[in-house]
Amino acid sequence: ENGLDWKNEVIRAPMEFQARQIKMGNKFARALYIEPDSYGGEMEDSFLNDLSSLPACSVFSIDYVPVDKKLTKKVLEAKYMGIEQAISKQNRKRVQQKNFVSEISYKAQAEKDEVKEMLDAVRKHGQRFFWVGVTMVVVADTLEELDELTTSLEQTCDSGGCRLSIALDEQRKCLNTALPIGIRNFAQMRAMFT
């Protein structure tokens, strides 16, 4: 009615989206994400605190989607049966080759143990399953300062046991996901338990 738009209060300058950064008036921003396959089944609170408390103008977002418990059990049980079938196939192949080794491969055993542990966590301990993604946007006065901030964040992530990446050619999508407006345009997520 009065010509004001709340969006102009968040970012008042026109934006030019580039492959590695966003030009906002006379400032630069960069949309980043933590690579889903680079961190384990949990993130330490101290790591998240270190990441979000760096002295820079930034937006930090942890996006999560809960998965229904029945669906979680169904998916894990199907995965477990698939591993069992692969082990059985591996054993049949060995017998055909007259290789009578009773051990299964380390990789298959590790996968089986991991899925069994997940199933136990869901069944016995009431754990919940979530899809989780971490995105952030940092803002700087110059491109050089933005590169320094990015390097600092990458080092923080390295010390936390994960990798931070630039959302190449997807700066707009990652920005929209990081902003607190409830949009998930950039879905770099991984499975985690409570």
Side-chain angles (χ1 to χ4, degrees), residues 27-52:
K27 293 188 180 274
F28 292 89
R30 182 168 287 149
L32 308 158
Y33 68 99
I34 296 180
E35 292 183 22
D37 62 342
S38 71
Y39 55 93
E42 61 185 48
M43 283 187 161
E44 296 293 326
D45 293 342
S46 59
F47 164 69
L48 293 173
N49 183 49
D50 292 345
L51 196 60
S52 63

Side-chain angles (χ1 to χ4, degrees), residues 44-91:
E44 296 293 326
D45 293 342
S46 59
F47 164 69
L48 293 173
N49 183 49
D50 292 345
L51 196 60
S52 63
S53 63
L54 288 173
C57 181
S58 64
V59 176
F60 182 80
S61 176
I62 301 174
D63 188 21
Y64 69 95
V65 180
V67 178
D68 181 65
K69 214 169 193 177
K70 288 179 183 177
L71 179 62
T72 301
K73 286 181 186 176
K74 186 177 178 180
V75 167
L76 289 174
E77 287 169 352
K79 177 82 171 162
Y80 189 81
M81 291 304 296
I83 293 169
E84 285 289 332
Q85 288 175 348
I87 290 170
S88 179
K89 183 178 176 182
Q90 185 181 60
N91 285 337

Side-chain angles (χ1 to χ4, degrees), residues 112-130:
K112 181 179 175 182
D113 291 344
E114 183 180 7
V115 172
K116 187 175 181 193
E117 190 177 302
M118 289 179 183
L119 270 168
D120 288 345
V122 170
R123 288 180 180 155
K124 296 178 183 174
H125 306 295
Q127 292 284 335
R128 295 287 316 264
F129 188 69
F130 293 89

